[in-house]
Amino acid sequence: MTVLDLHREIIERGFHGRSSTVRDWIRRDLPQREGFRPAPPPPSVRQVTGWLTRHPATLTEEENLHRTAVLDRCPELASAAELTSSFAEMLTTLSGDCLPDWITEAMGTNLAGIGSFASGLNNDLDAVTAGLTTDWNSGPVEGAANRIMMLKRQMFGRAGFNLLRKRVLLAT
């Protein structure tokens, strides 16, 4: 008999409390059987997400066992994990030539989030393929634009272009 079964039974007899009250009473007041250990709590969403999105080489042995157990219980999640890791592999090795095959595979699964992501990639396939095959990086340009926007925000819109120009030139 589970806590919820017991809770339903005593509700029928007039109890007005919550199932958590029954659970707490059982844990606190009922004697435990010898050698009994309560089941460990289920993993949090954050833990499972970490196990699935981190590189498998960075997982500890225990985390790897947990990851395998989660993937064995849910085939959809195993499919999503496989697609995620193969996309991450394309990102790190700059192998954008595999992208059309990945998109076909992702759209073939019935996973809504990954399917819509693949569809979005397919809409701008040339640009995404170029981003996954070249080692060109727009980071320095984005950093400069971010710095200029920060300087502009610091002025709270009180000054014109001439003051902004002076601050940008003096900040470099």
Side-chain angles (χ1 to χ4, degrees):
M1 176 179 269
T2 66
V3 172
L4 292 176
D5 294 335
L6 180 60
H7 182 252
R8 277 189 225 106
E9 187 176 320
I10 62 176
I11 285 284
E12 292 170 1
R13 296 181 182 193
F15 179 69
H16 297 291
R18 297 176 180 251
S19 62
S20 60
T21 306
V22 177
R23 182 197 62 219
D24 294 343
W25 177 80
I26 288 172
R27 287 183 181 165
R28 185 182 60 242
D29 295 338
L30 286 183
Q32 298 293 323
R33 292 185 307 224
E34 192 173 313
F36 172 77
R37 271 194 234 164
S44 67
V45 173
R46 182 178 291 240
Q47 285 175 315
V48 174
T49 304
W51 299 333
L52 297 178
T53 56
R54 288 195 334 237
H55 194 280
T58 64
L59 296 175
T60 65
E61 193 173 319
E62 182 181 354
E63 290 172 334
N64 219 352
L65 290 173
H66 287 303
R67 179 184 193 271
T68 304
V70 167
L71 294 180
D72 288 345
R73 295 187 79 178
C74 183
E76 294 88 7
L77 195 57
S79 175
E82 178 60 35
L83 287 168
T84 302
S85 65
S86 63
F87 189 78
E89 184 72 23
M90 273 193 295
L91 282 173
T92 56
T93 60
L94 294 177
S95 54
D97 51 330
C98 303
L99 184 64
D101 296 334
W102 186 89
I103 290 174
T104 304
E105 184 180 351
M107 292 177 89
T109 63
N110 289 331
L111 302 171
I114 292 182
S116 65
F117 175 70
S119 175
L121 293 177
N122 208 19
N123 289 341
D124 203 7
L125 186 62
D126 293 336
V128 177
T129 304
L132 289 175
T133 53
T134 63
D135 57 353
W136 184 81
N137 185 346
S138 65
V141 174
E142 292 296 327
N146 192 20
R147 185 177 55 79
I148 291 171
M149 293 301 294
M150 184 253 329
L151 290 171
K152 184 178 175 187
R153 286 186 195 108
Q154 285 178 341
M155 295 188 309
F156 300 108
R158 292 184 295 223
F161 178 74
N162 291 334
L163 181 58
L164 176 62
R165 181 177 178 275
K166 282 184 181 181
R167 287 198 64 193
V168 168
L169 291 175
L170 290 174
T172 56

